Amino acid sequence: MTDFRRTLLWVVFSMSLVLIWDAWQRHNGHPSMFSPAPAKPAAAASAAPGGAVPSPATPAVAAAAATPGATPAAPAAAASAPVAKQVTVSTDLVKATLDSKGGSLVRLELLKQADQNDRSKNVVLFDQSAKRLYKAETGLVPPAGGAGLPNHHTVMDLVPGDLELKEGSNELQVRFESPEVGGVKLAKIYTFKRGDYVIGVRHEVINNSGAALSPRLYLQLVRDGNPPEGESSFYFTFTGPAVYTDASKFQKVEFKKIEKHQAGDSPLHATTGENGWVAMVQHYFAAAWLPDNGSGAKLPREFYSGKVDTNTYSVGMFLPVGEVGAGSTKAFDAQLYAGPQEENKLAALAPGLELVKDYGWFTILAKPLFWLLTQLHGLLGNWGWAIVALVVLLKIAFFWLNASAYRSMAKMKAINPKVMELRERLKDKPQQMQQEMMRIYREEKVNPLGGCLPIVAQMPFFIALYWVLLSSVEMRNAPWIGWIHDLSAIDPFYILPALMTGTSLLQTWLNPTPPDPVQAKMMWIMPLMFSVMFFFFPAGLVLYWLTNNILSIAQQYLINKQLGVLGKG
């Protein structure tokens, strides 16, 4: 019993190392130790219901059509094919590049978000470069799927107009129009608004075919499978597609699962619904197609995800446009959100959209902690001091629980000389030694578990706060004091990690010394090993742990002094 607390600490320490190694493996694209490849059951195919895949137009398209949920492949090149051009649209928040090929959004620079690797540059979310492939595409398919209507391969014409949001204007529209394909023209109108990361995308279907038709619209995001540049290998954050419906809720899909998925495997996510959205998620940022415009109207849709090319993946949905009569026009409005994961703003845009901000297993605790953190920031005006204040409030909330734990540890420290003498004297009689130790515990009214269980009870709250600080985009470029100019970046002078190491060693000195000399040495080595990680953690996380350590040391010091065991082994 006397070694139970230390044994539990060893278990926590060992599991932490295993989880850190597993996160590093996943971050670098290797399989997780906890997610072996599942057996392939005889289950429904992952294709959207009704075989909603585009029909092949050329032999090259046939392979794409075999992929569940595939969107139209590029048509065969023609000698007189028009040349696609790109235009750049500027607002107060974004600089967007639109390609006349499909009228697709192929680059998006976020003007208010500095790149953490090079602060002279801005974050580029969408891109088509040697380092990144990430874009938003839309188009039409016939009811049975396939090509034959304007899609994201169709070269469109840009209608002349402003490309920069002018001073005094709150809205800017950019219009593309396709040539007739199968007697149908598609106009795509982007609406950019001042102070908003939501881009309105209207699709106008103009039916000149002479007969009524009921096309389907697809909205998709295409991205490579690489994590964002500059991500740390010491902690894992999710990068990949996500699908949400009211019925199935939020479902993340890892790129490696898409890579391994085959026909006949169980679907990776919901394939149908009357509501919902699709997204591409990465640390701090997300892009999502939102077809409901906040109206709450039910509209059937079919979700898909798949591999487009080598290390290139898509997630999207098909939606019915409805019947478009001969000679008539029908419009369909959708929204594209592309920006930071600001939780409150995301929650207001669509049900469940705030879930792209990943809190891990402790979401139920993390959400109220984030709310409290934002309230403290509103009072203090500084995210760093808000972190300090939140830790102080948590320590106050758990004051008596901690006091109980520290008193138990202090009593253990007081009787430690007796226990060590007993272990030495009866080391060849383990049964008698255990009986004598239990007698000492009864006489001194010491519970060997008393110093451990109260601390374990608090762990979910502090783990939840860890994820709040790790995932909150509000920490990006947020200064604290002096040399800390960005709470989401590493301390440039490693002052906070050094202080963290010192406080961890001081806590070890205040704790009872294990009777076993090997354990005693390891109790000093453990905080040093943990501290190495903190040199690579964001400053906000280190500040949180440092504040917690300082407050714990102060409370433990006072209790040890009160019980007269300060400095004793």
Side-chain angles (χ1 to χ4, degrees), residues 445-487:
K445 297 181 180 180
V446 174
N447 181 2
L449 303 180
C452 183
L453 296 180
I455 295 175
V456 171
Q458 301 172 57
M459 286 180 65
F461 291 88
F462 284 96
I463 293 174
L465 182 54
Y466 166 90
W467 282 106
V468 166
L469 298 179
L470 182 62
S471 60
S472 295
V473 71
E474 289 81 0
M475 301 299 131
R476 291 189 83 254
N477 304 311
W480 178 41
I481 57 172
W483 73 103
I484 301 296
H485 303 293
D486 185 351
L487 289 167

mmCIF file of all heavy atoms in Angstrom, residues 445-487:
data_model
loop_
_atom_site.group_PDB
_atom_site.id
_atom_site.type_symbol
_atom_site.label_atom_id
_atom_site.label_comp_id
_atom_site.label_asym_id
_atom_site.label_seq_id
_atom_site.Cartn_x
_atom_site.Cartn_y
_atom_site.Cartn_z
ATOM 1 N N LYS A 445 -2.947 7.497 11.690
ATOM 2 C CA LYS A 445 -4.137 7.929 10.949
ATOM 3 C C LYS A 445 -3.764 8.499 9.572
ATOM 4 O O LYS A 445 -4.153 9.598 9.195
ATOM 5 C CB LYS A 445 -4.915 8.967 11.756
ATOM 6 C CG LYS A 445 -5.447 8.420 13.080
ATOM 7 C CD LYS A 445 -6.221 9.471 13.842
ATOM 8 C CE LYS A 445 -6.741 8.901 15.162
ATOM 9 N NZ LYS A 445 -7.508 9.925 15.929
ATOM 10 N N VAL A 446 -2.999 7.684 8.851
ATOM 11 C CA VAL A 446 -2.535 8.064 7.514
ATOM 12 C C VAL A 446 -3.163 7.135 6.490
ATOM 13 O O VAL A 446 -3.152 5.916 6.669
ATOM 14 C CB VAL A 446 -0.994 7.993 7.415
ATOM 15 C CG1 VAL A 446 -0.543 8.240 5.982
ATOM 16 C CG2 VAL A 446 -0.368 9.019 8.350
ATOM 17 N N ASN A 447 -3.703 7.722 5.425
ATOM 18 C CA ASN A 447 -4.239 6.947 4.313
ATOM 19 C C ASN A 447 -3.264 7.036 3.140
ATOM 20 O O ASN A 447 -3.066 8.122 2.579
ATOM 21 C CB ASN A 447 -5.611 7.493 3.899
ATOM 22 C CG ASN A 447 -6.225 6.700 2.752
ATOM 23 O OD1 ASN A 447 -5.651 5.716 2.278
ATOM 24 N ND2 ASN A 447 -7.391 7.143 2.306
ATOM 25 N N PRO A 448 -2.632 5.914 2.760
ATOM 26 C CA PRO A 448 -1.652 5.972 1.663
ATOM 27 C C PRO A 448 -2.249 6.483 0.348
ATOM 28 O O PRO A 448 -1.526 6.999 -0.494
ATOM 29 C CB PRO A 448 -1.196 4.518 1.522
ATOM 30 C CG PRO A 448 -1.526 3.871 2.821
ATOM 31 C CD PRO A 448 -2.754 4.565 3.324
ATOM 32 N N LEU A 449 -3.569 6.317 0.183
ATOM 33 C CA LEU A 449 -4.217 6.785 -1.050
ATOM 34 C C LEU A 449 -4.681 8.228 -0.951
ATOM 35 O O LEU A 449 -5.126 8.806 -1.951
ATOM 36 C CB LEU A 449 -5.426 5.903 -1.378
ATOM 37 C CG LEU A 449 -5.175 4.409 -1.539
ATOM 38 C CD1 LEU A 449 -6.474 3.695 -1.869
ATOM 39 C CD2 LEU A 449 -4.149 4.152 -2.622
ATOM 40 N N GLY A 450 -4.603 8.810 0.238
ATOM 41 C CA GLY A 450 -5.163 10.139 0.452
ATOM 42 C C GLY A 450 -4.499 11.229 -0.373
ATOM 43 O O GLY A 450 -5.128 12.230 -0.717
ATOM 44 N N GLY A 451 -3.205 11.068 -0.708
ATOM 45 C CA GLY A 451 -2.509 12.081 -1.491
ATOM 46 C C GLY A 451 -2.687 11.914 -2.979
ATOM 47 O O GLY A 451 -2.284 12.792 -3.746
ATOM 48 N N CYS A 452 -3.285 10.792 -3.390
ATOM 49 C CA CYS A 452 -3.362 10.482 -4.814
ATOM 50 C C CYS A 452 -4.744 10.709 -5.393
ATOM 51 O O CYS A 452 -4.903 11.359 -6.424
ATOM 52 C CB CYS A 452 -2.926 9.046 -5.033
ATOM 53 S SG CYS A 452 -2.885 8.545 -6.754
ATOM 54 N N LEU A 453 -5.768 10.173 -4.721
ATOM 55 C CA LEU A 453 -7.113 10.203 -5.285
ATOM 56 C C LEU A 453 -7.646 11.610 -5.514
ATOM 57 O O LEU A 453 -8.269 11.870 -6.559
ATOM 58 C CB LEU A 453 -8.062 9.401 -4.390
ATOM 59 C CG LEU A 453 -7.754 7.904 -4.297
ATOM 60 C CD1 LEU A 453 -8.753 7.196 -3.395
ATOM 61 C CD2 LEU A 453 -7.760 7.257 -5.686
ATOM 62 N N PRO A 454 -7.456 12.578 -4.592
ATOM 63 C CA PRO A 454 -7.947 13.939 -4.874
ATOM 64 C C PRO A 454 -7.307 14.549 -6.116
ATOM 65 O O PRO A 454 -7.962 15.286 -6.854
ATOM 66 C CB PRO A 454 -7.553 14.720 -3.614
ATOM 67 C CG PRO A 454 -7.448 13.691 -2.543
ATOM 68 C CD PRO A 454 -6.905 12.478 -3.217
ATOM 69 N N ILE A 455 -6.029 14.255 -6.359
ATOM 70 C CA ILE A 455 -5.353 14.794 -7.535
ATOM 71 C C ILE A 455 -5.904 14.152 -8.806
ATOM 72 O O ILE A 455 -6.134 14.826 -9.822
ATOM 73 C CB ILE A 455 -3.831 14.577 -7.413
ATOM 74 C CG1 ILE A 455 -3.299 15.390 -6.228
ATOM 75 C CG2 ILE A 455 -3.117 14.969 -8.701
ATOM 76 C CD1 ILE A 455 -1.830 15.150 -5.933
ATOM 77 N N VAL A 456 -6.148 12.831 -8.751
ATOM 78 C CA VAL A 456 -6.706 12.122 -9.909
ATOM 79 C C VAL A 456 -8.085 12.681 -10.256
ATOM 80 O O VAL A 456 -8.429 12.829 -11.440
ATOM 81 C CB VAL A 456 -6.790 10.611 -9.624
ATOM 82 C CG1 VAL A 456 -7.555 9.888 -10.723
ATOM 83 C CG2 VAL A 456 -5.383 10.027 -9.491
ATOM 84 N N ALA A 457 -8.877 13.035 -9.233
ATOM 85 C CA ALA A 457 -10.222 13.558 -9.473
ATOM 86 C C ALA A 457 -10.196 14.870 -10.244
ATOM 87 O O ALA A 457 -11.152 15.205 -10.961
ATOM 88 C CB ALA A 457 -10.943 13.751 -8.145
ATOM 89 N N GLN A 458 -9.121 15.630 -10.122
ATOM 90 C CA GLN A 458 -9.023 16.927 -10.791
ATOM 91 C C GLN A 458 -8.451 16.826 -12.201
ATOM 92 O O GLN A 458 -8.559 17.782 -12.982
ATOM 93 C CB GLN A 458 -8.130 17.867 -9.982
ATOM 94 C CG GLN A 458 -8.613 18.117 -8.578
ATOM 95 C CD GLN A 458 -7.586 18.899 -7.783
ATOM 96 O OE1 GLN A 458 -7.177 19.999 -8.153
ATOM 97 N NE2 GLN A 458 -7.153 18.323 -6.672
ATOM 98 N N MET A 459 -7.830 15.708 -12.521
ATOM 99 C CA MET A 459 -7.119 15.602 -13.789
ATOM 100 C C MET A 459 -7.989 15.898 -15.011
ATOM 101 O O MET A 459 -7.547 16.602 -15.928
ATOM 102 C CB MET A 459 -6.472 14.221 -13.912
ATOM 103 C CG MET A 459 -5.240 14.051 -13.038
ATOM 104 S SD MET A 459 -4.488 12.406 -13.187
ATOM 105 C CE MET A 459 -3.953 12.443 -14.901
ATOM 106 N N PRO A 460 -9.263 15.422 -15.090
ATOM 107 C CA PRO A 460 -10.065 15.728 -16.281
ATOM 108 C C PRO A 460 -10.223 17.223 -16.542
ATOM 109 O O PRO A 460 -10.228 17.661 -17.694
ATOM 110 C CB PRO A 460 -11.417 15.067 -15.972
ATOM 111 C CG PRO A 460 -11.085 13.961 -15.029
ATOM 112 C CD PRO A 460 -9.963 14.485 -14.196
ATOM 113 N N PHE A 461 -10.323 18.024 -15.466
ATOM 114 C CA PHE A 461 -10.487 19.466 -15.634
ATOM 115 C C PHE A 461 -9.229 20.104 -16.223
ATOM 116 O O PHE A 461 -9.313 20.960 -17.115
ATOM 117 C CB PHE A 461 -10.828 20.112 -14.286
ATOM 118 C CG PHE A 461 -12.191 19.759 -13.782
ATOM 119 C CD1 PHE A 461 -12.394 18.626 -13.012
ATOM 120 C CD2 PHE A 461 -13.290 20.544 -14.096
ATOM 121 C CE1 PHE A 461 -13.661 18.284 -12.547
ATOM 122 C CE2 PHE A 461 -14.559 20.215 -13.645
ATOM 123 C CZ PHE A 461 -14.749 19.076 -12.867
ATOM 124 N N PHE A 462 -8.078 19.681 -15.751
ATOM 125 C CA PHE A 462 -6.846 20.282 -16.236
ATOM 126 C C PHE A 462 -6.475 19.756 -17.622
ATOM 127 O O PHE A 462 -5.876 20.474 -18.420
ATOM 128 C CB PHE A 462 -5.719 20.054 -15.218
ATOM 129 C CG PHE A 462 -5.833 20.961 -14.029
ATOM 130 C CD1 PHE A 462 -6.453 20.539 -12.872
ATOM 131 C CD2 PHE A 462 -5.351 22.260 -14.076
ATOM 132 C CE1 PHE A 462 -6.587 21.382 -11.782
ATOM 133 C CE2 PHE A 462 -5.470 23.111 -12.995
ATOM 134 C CZ PHE A 462 -6.089 22.676 -11.836
ATOM 135 N N ILE A 463 -6.854 18.515 -17.936
ATOM 136 C CA ILE A 463 -6.646 18.014 -19.295
ATOM 137 C C ILE A 463 -7.549 18.764 -20.265
ATOM 138 O O ILE A 463 -7.148 19.133 -21.377
ATOM 139 C CB ILE A 463 -6.900 16.495 -19.356
ATOM 140 C CG1 ILE A 463 -5.841 15.740 -18.546
ATOM 141 C CG2 ILE A 463 -6.886 16.007 -20.802
ATOM 142 C CD1 ILE A 463 -6.097 14.252 -18.422
ATOM 143 N N ALA A 464 -8.809 19.018 -19.836
ATOM 144 C CA ALA A 464 -9.737 19.778 -20.678
ATOM 145 C C ALA A 464 -9.206 21.184 -20.935
ATOM 146 O O ALA A 464 -9.276 21.695 -22.064
ATOM 147 C CB ALA A 464 -11.116 19.847 -20.017
ATOM 148 N N LEU A 465 -8.652 21.823 -19.909
ATOM 149 C CA LEU A 465 -8.086 23.160 -20.083
ATOM 150 C C LEU A 465 -6.882 23.125 -21.010
ATOM 151 O O LEU A 465 -6.667 24.054 -21.814
ATOM 152 C CB LEU A 465 -7.695 23.742 -18.722
ATOM 153 C CG LEU A 465 -7.125 25.167 -18.736
ATOM 154 C CD1 LEU A 465 -8.062 26.130 -19.451
ATOM 155 C CD2 LEU A 465 -6.852 25.648 -17.316
ATOM 156 N N TYR A 466 -6.113 22.054 -20.941
ATOM 157 C CA TYR A 466 -4.979 21.879 -21.863
ATOM 158 C C TYR A 466 -5.465 21.932 -23.309
ATOM 159 O O TYR A 466 -4.900 22.635 -24.154
ATOM 160 C CB TYR A 466 -4.302 20.536 -21.569
ATOM 161 C CG TYR A 466 -3.349 20.054 -22.633
ATOM 162 C CD1 TYR A 466 -2.002 20.402 -22.593
ATOM 163 C CD2 TYR A 466 -3.780 19.237 -23.677
ATOM 164 C CE1 TYR A 466 -1.121 19.956 -23.569
ATOM 165 C CE2 TYR A 466 -2.915 18.787 -24.659
ATOM 166 C CZ TYR A 466 -1.585 19.147 -24.594
ATOM 167 O OH TYR A 466 -0.723 18.706 -25.569
ATOM 168 N N TRP A 467 -6.561 21.201 -23.619
ATOM 169 C CA TRP A 467 -7.074 21.179 -24.988
ATOM 170 C C TRP A 467 -7.709 22.504 -25.380
ATOM 171 O O TRP A 467 -7.666 22.903 -26.554
ATOM 172 C CB TRP A 467 -8.068 20.024 -25.154
ATOM 173 C CG TRP A 467 -7.362 18.721 -25.311
ATOM 174 C CD1 TRP A 467 -7.250 17.716 -24.392
ATOM 175 C CD2 TRP A 467 -6.631 18.287 -26.460
ATOM 176 N NE1 TRP A 467 -6.498 16.683 -24.887
ATOM 177 C CE2 TRP A 467 -6.109 17.007 -26.166
ATOM 178 C CE3 TRP A 467 -6.372 18.846 -27.708
ATOM 179 C CZ2 TRP A 467 -5.338 16.288 -27.073
ATOM 180 C CZ3 TRP A 467 -5.605 18.125 -28.612
ATOM 181 C CH2 TRP A 467 -5.106 16.870 -28.293
ATOM 182 N N VAL A 468 -8.293 23.195 -24.415
ATOM 183 C CA VAL A 468 -8.838 24.528 -24.700
ATOM 184 C C VAL A 468 -7.728 25.458 -25.186
ATOM 185 O O VAL A 468 -7.858 26.157 -26.195
ATOM 186 C CB VAL A 468 -9.531 25.119 -23.452
ATOM 187 C CG1 VAL A 468 -9.794 26.609 -23.626
ATOM 188 C CG2 VAL A 468 -10.843 24.393 -23.180
ATOM 189 N N LEU A 469 -6.620 25.451 -24.479
ATOM 190 C CA LEU A 469 -5.514 26.343 -24.825
ATOM 191 C C LEU A 469 -4.825 25.905 -26.112
ATOM 192 O O LEU A 469 -4.362 26.745 -26.895
ATOM 193 C CB LEU A 469 -4.505 26.387 -23.681
ATOM 194 C CG LEU A 469 -5.047 26.930 -22.346
ATOM 195 C CD1 LEU A 469 -3.968 26.895 -21.280
ATOM 196 C CD2 LEU A 469 -5.585 28.340 -22.512
ATOM 197 N N LEU A 470 -4.764 24.598 -26.347
ATOM 198 C CA LEU A 470 -4.087 24.102 -27.538
ATOM 199 C C LEU A 470 -4.886 24.392 -28.806
ATOM 200 O O LEU A 470 -4.323 24.660 -29.858
ATOM 201 C CB LEU A 470 -3.854 22.591 -27.416
ATOM 202 C CG LEU A 470 -3.113 21.909 -28.571
ATOM 203 C CD1 LEU A 470 -1.706 22.468 -28.722
ATOM 204 C CD2 LEU A 470 -3.060 20.408 -28.371
ATOM 205 N N SER A 471 -6.223 24.355 -28.709
ATOM 206 C CA SER A 471 -7.045 24.450 -29.915
ATOM 207 C C SER A 471 -7.617 25.837 -30.174
ATOM 208 O O SER A 471 -8.183 26.067 -31.251
ATOM 209 C CB SER A 471 -8.203 23.444 -29.826
ATOM 210 O OG SER A 471 -9.011 23.702 -28.702
ATOM 211 N N SER A 472 -7.494 26.763 -29.240
ATOM 212 C CA SER A 472 -8.138 28.070 -29.387
ATOM 213 C C SER A 472 -7.312 29.000 -30.269
ATOM 214 O O SER A 472 -6.190 29.378 -29.916
ATOM 215 C CB SER A 472 -8.358 28.719 -28.012
ATOM 216 O OG SER A 472 -9.279 27.966 -27.259
ATOM 217 N N VAL A 473 -7.896 29.382 -31.397
ATOM 218 C CA VAL A 473 -7.212 30.269 -32.334
ATOM 219 C C VAL A 473 -7.000 31.651 -31.725
ATOM 220 O O VAL A 473 -6.148 32.422 -32.184
ATOM 221 C CB VAL A 473 -8.019 30.366 -33.649
ATOM 222 C CG1 VAL A 473 -9.301 31.147 -33.443
ATOM 223 C CG2 VAL A 473 -7.180 30.965 -34.768
ATOM 224 N N GLU A 474 -7.767 31.961 -30.682
ATOM 225 C CA GLU A 474 -7.597 33.256 -30.022
ATOM 226 C C GLU A 474 -6.200 33.431 -29.434
ATOM 227 O O GLU A 474 -5.762 34.566 -29.196
ATOM 228 C CB GLU A 474 -8.641 33.411 -28.907
ATOM 229 C CG GLU A 474 -10.057 33.611 -29.406
ATOM 230 C CD GLU A 474 -10.757 32.322 -29.798
ATOM 231 O OE1 GLU A 474 -10.135 31.239 -29.682
ATOM 232 O OE2 GLU A 474 -11.917 32.393 -30.221
ATOM 233 N N MET A 475 -5.491 32.314 -29.182
ATOM 234 C CA MET A 475 -4.138 32.394 -28.640
ATOM 235 C C MET A 475 -3.107 32.794 -29.704
ATOM 236 O O MET A 475 -2.012 33.238 -29.363
ATOM 237 C CB MET A 475 -3.715 31.039 -28.049
ATOM 238 C CG MET A 475 -4.614 30.544 -26.931
ATOM 239 S SD MET A 475 -4.660 31.642 -25.512
ATOM 240 C CE MET A 475 -6.421 31.784 -25.266
ATOM 241 N N ARG A 476 -3.461 32.636 -30.986
ATOM 242 C CA ARG A 476 -2.518 32.980 -32.059
ATOM 243 C C ARG A 476 -2.248 34.476 -32.048
ATOM 244 O O ARG A 476 -3.154 35.300 -32.042
ATOM 245 C CB ARG A 476 -3.055 32.583 -33.430
ATOM 246 C CG ARG A 476 -3.130 31.108 -33.673
ATOM 247 C CD ARG A 476 -3.469 30.787 -35.114
ATOM 248 N NE ARG A 476 -2.283 30.816 -35.960
ATOM 249 C CZ ARG A 476 -1.985 31.753 -36.818
ATOM 250 N NH1 ARG A 476 -2.755 32.795 -36.951
ATOM 251 N NH2 ARG A 476 -0.902 31.678 -37.554
ATOM 252 N N ASN A 477 -0.957 34.811 -32.033
ATOM 253 C CA ASN A 477 -0.497 36.200 -32.071
ATOM 254 C C ASN A 477 -0.965 37.016 -30.872
ATOM 255 O O ASN A 477 -0.950 38.248 -30.911
ATOM 256 C CB ASN A 477 -0.954 36.889 -33.369
ATOM 257 C CG ASN A 477 -0.495 36.145 -34.597
ATOM 258 O OD1 ASN A 477 0.667 35.791 -34.729
ATOM 259 N ND2 ASN A 477 -1.418 35.877 -35.525
ATOM 260 N N ALA A 478 -1.406 36.327 -29.804
ATOM 261 C CA ALA A 478 -1.856 37.028 -28.599
ATOM 262 C C ALA A 478 -0.668 37.218 -27.655
ATOM 263 O O ALA A 478 -0.077 36.238 -27.209
ATOM 264 C CB ALA A 478 -2.959 36.237 -27.906
ATOM 265 N N PRO A 479 -0.299 38.449 -27.332
ATOM 266 C CA PRO A 479 0.847 38.683 -26.441
ATOM 267 C C PRO A 479 0.453 38.520 -24.978
ATOM 268 O O PRO A 479 -0.726 38.556 -24.620
ATOM 269 C CB PRO A 479 1.209 40.140 -26.747
ATOM 270 C CG PRO A 479 -0.094 40.773 -27.131
ATOM 271 C CD PRO A 479 -0.894 39.705 -27.827
ATOM 272 N N TRP A 480 1.464 38.330 -24.150
ATOM 273 C CA TRP A 480 1.253 38.322 -22.706
ATOM 274 C C TRP A 480 2.033 39.487 -22.092
ATOM 275 O O TRP A 480 1.537 40.586 -22.008
ATOM 276 C CB TRP A 480 1.650 36.974 -22.103
ATOM 277 C CG TRP A 480 1.489 36.919 -20.606
ATOM 278 C CD1 TRP A 480 0.452 37.432 -19.871
ATOM 279 C CD2 TRP A 480 2.391 36.341 -19.669
ATOM 280 N NE1 TRP A 480 0.649 37.204 -18.535
ATOM 281 C CE2 TRP A 480 1.829 36.535 -18.377
ATOM 282 C CE3 TRP A 480 3.604 35.674 -19.784
ATOM 283 C CZ2 TRP A 480 2.469 36.078 -17.225
ATOM 284 C CZ3 TRP A 480 4.226 35.203 -18.627
ATOM 285 C CH2 TRP A 480 3.663 35.409 -17.365
ATOM 286 N N ILE A 481 3.270 39.247 -21.738
ATOM 287 C CA ILE A 481 4.114 40.321 -21.211
ATOM 288 C C ILE A 481 5.499 40.212 -21.838
ATOM 289 O O ILE A 481 5.927 39.132 -22.251
ATOM 290 C CB ILE A 481 4.261 40.242 -19.667
ATOM 291 C CG1 ILE A 481 4.822 38.881 -19.255
ATOM 292 C CG2 ILE A 481 2.950 40.544 -18.971
ATOM 293 C CD1 ILE A 481 5.170 38.791 -17.776
ATOM 294 N N GLY A 482 6.196 41.331 -21.915
ATOM 295 C CA GLY A 482 7.605 41.342 -22.315
ATOM 296 C C GLY A 482 7.900 40.568 -23.570
ATOM 297 O O GLY A 482 7.473 40.922 -24.667
ATOM 298 N N TRP A 483 8.619 39.478 -23.370
ATOM 299 C CA TRP A 483 9.138 38.706 -24.494
ATOM 300 C C TRP A 483 8.112 37.753 -25.117
ATOM 301 O O TRP A 483 8.351 37.201 -26.178
ATOM 302 C CB TRP A 483 10.358 37.908 -24.046
ATOM 303 C CG TRP A 483 10.030 36.734 -23.156
ATOM 304 C CD1 TRP A 483 9.995 35.426 -23.516
ATOM 305 C CD2 TRP A 483 9.664 36.754 -21.765
ATOM 306 N NE1 TRP A 483 9.638 34.622 -22.462
ATOM 307 C CE2 TRP A 483 9.432 35.417 -21.366
ATOM 308 C CE3 TRP A 483 9.510 37.772 -20.819
ATOM 309 C CZ2 TRP A 483 9.055 35.075 -20.072
ATOM 310 C CZ3 TRP A 483 9.134 37.433 -19.534
ATOM 311 C CH2 TRP A 483 8.913 36.104 -19.164
ATOM 312 N N ILE A 484 6.971 37.540 -24.474
ATOM 313 C CA ILE A 484 5.947 36.631 -24.995
ATOM 314 C C ILE A 484 5.003 37.432 -25.897
ATOM 315 O O ILE A 484 4.104 38.130 -25.422
ATOM 316 C CB ILE A 484 5.156 35.949 -23.863
ATOM 317 C CG1 ILE A 484 6.100 35.154 -22.955
ATOM 318 C CG2 ILE A 484 4.091 35.025 -24.455
ATOM 319 C CD1 ILE A 484 6.799 34.011 -23.641
ATOM 320 N N HIS A 485 5.236 37.332 -27.201
ATOM 321 C CA HIS A 485 4.421 38.064 -28.172
ATOM 322 C C HIS A 485 3.349 37.186 -28.813
ATOM 323 O O HIS A 485 2.487 37.691 -29.524
ATOM 324 C CB HIS A 485 5.316 38.645 -29.275
ATOM 325 C CG HIS A 485 6.394 39.530 -28.752
ATOM 326 N ND1 HIS A 485 6.138 40.749 -28.150
ATOM 327 C CD2 HIS A 485 7.756 39.388 -28.728
ATOM 328 C CE1 HIS A 485 7.276 41.317 -27.785
ATOM 329 N NE2 HIS A 485 8.267 40.509 -28.111
ATOM 330 N N ASP A 486 3.408 35.870 -28.577
ATOM 331 C CA ASP A 486 2.448 34.956 -29.180
ATOM 332 C C ASP A 486 2.293 33.749 -28.263
ATOM 333 O O ASP A 486 3.209 32.934 -28.127
ATOM 334 C CB ASP A 486 2.923 34.515 -30.573
ATOM 335 C CG ASP A 486 1.905 33.662 -31.305
ATOM 336 O OD1 ASP A 486 0.903 33.253 -30.688
ATOM 337 O OD2 ASP A 486 2.106 33.398 -32.498
ATOM 338 N N LEU A 487 1.131 33.638 -27.638
ATOM 339 C CA LEU A 487 0.896 32.539 -26.691
ATOM 340 C C LEU A 487 0.776 31.185 -27.372
ATOM 341 O O LEU A 487 0.831 30.151 -26.706
ATOM 342 C CB LEU A 487 -0.371 32.823 -25.876
ATOM 343 C CG LEU A 487 -0.253 33.951 -24.840
ATOM 344 C CD1 LEU A 487 -1.630 34.352 -24.333
ATOM 345 C CD2 LEU A 487 0.645 33.542 -23.686
#
